[in-house]
Amino acid sequence: MTEVGNKVVVVGAGLMGHGIAHAFASAGHRVTLVDIDAAALEKAKGKIDEIIAGGIKLGKVTLEAGEATRAALSTSTALAASAEGADLLIETATELLPVKLDILREVDPALPAHAIIGTNTSALSVTEIAGACADPARVVGMHFFNPVHKMKLLELVVGLATSPETLARARAYGEAVGKAVIAVNDSPGLTTSRMSAMLGNEAMWMLSEGVASAEDIDTALRLGFNHPMGPLELGDLTGWDTRLKVLQYLHGVLGDKFRPCPLILKMVKAGRIGRKAGAGVYRYDEEGRKIAGSGLKGSYL
Ligand SMILES: NC(=O)c1ccc[n+]([C@@H]2O[C@H](COP(=O)([O-])OP(=O)(O)OC[C@H]3O[C@@H](n4cnc5c(N)ncnc54)[C@H](O)[C@@H]3O)[C@@H](O)[C@H]2O)c1
């Protein structure tokens, strides 16, 4: 079995960072969660408490285990100091290349020589991110899914320079936190984002062409293929603004099959970007619940 160290640093305490920090702390690692924004750290602690409380309520977590998870976690705004003595550092800050490069440039000299670095980027090149480190062999993509405590998959991304040892250790860390681990080569959109972008775009083309209503397209995928959500519902959850950025990027690097459906551009221009805005393909009430029968009906070109 591959040996992994116990000290984990998670950089970025947003939607993904708090989930990743919780996953490692509840599996018995010592975790420091780092963010430039102290308010984000407070919010993340609250979210982790909610996950623990939810587990206790469902009888999946004991009170003692919940306490142990809390005790294993600390937070900090001091990036380089937190990296000292770490065995694994996971970068999960804002999805902007300059932000990720700056973080890695700062932590790389502070980390012990044996430490490995995982980046949770959804779409950026791991090879390019690794270029910020003196030894890019220690960098690997560790793509977790939201919400981390419920989603089983960990997609490891092998950059051009990632060493087999780094990959093996990242796999062992993933398995230690109970994930099913796959490995893919560094390529645009990996497997998951590329497939999901294609499916969501195609569903939008069908809606535009008047092939079927939004509800019927989503029902087709949910009941015909056992997908837990339809592609239009999922696009509303992810946000069509984010979806559009991914599609534009994939269109640029992989060609015409990823040309964004004009209806997505129209919706983004209109601010109808999904659940977070109260309306996307569907409309949502104040609690964020989908309003029955509110889906777009078709022929929107
Ligand atoms: N949201 C998803 O469903 C999802 C799924 C898989 C992967 N990802 C990836 O995870 C990463 C984070 O996404 P998110 O949705 O959690 O974003 P988010 O906006 O919720 O959180 C990002 C956090 O990074 C912090 N940050 C920014 N610059 C920093 C710096 N220099 N040092 C320390 N902290 C810094 C911000 O203050 C913020 O708290 C991105 O790379 C994203 O592509 C997101």
Side-chain angles (χ1 to χ4, degrees), residues 249-263:
Y249 171 66
L250 294 177
H251 185 208
V253 288
L254 296 176
D256 208 46
K257 62 185 175 175
F258 285 97
R259 182 163 69 89
C261 171
L263 178 55

Side-chain angles (χ1 to χ4, degrees), residues 54-62:
I56 292 171
K57 201 170 159 194
L58 289 172
K60 290 184 177 171
V61 177
T62 63

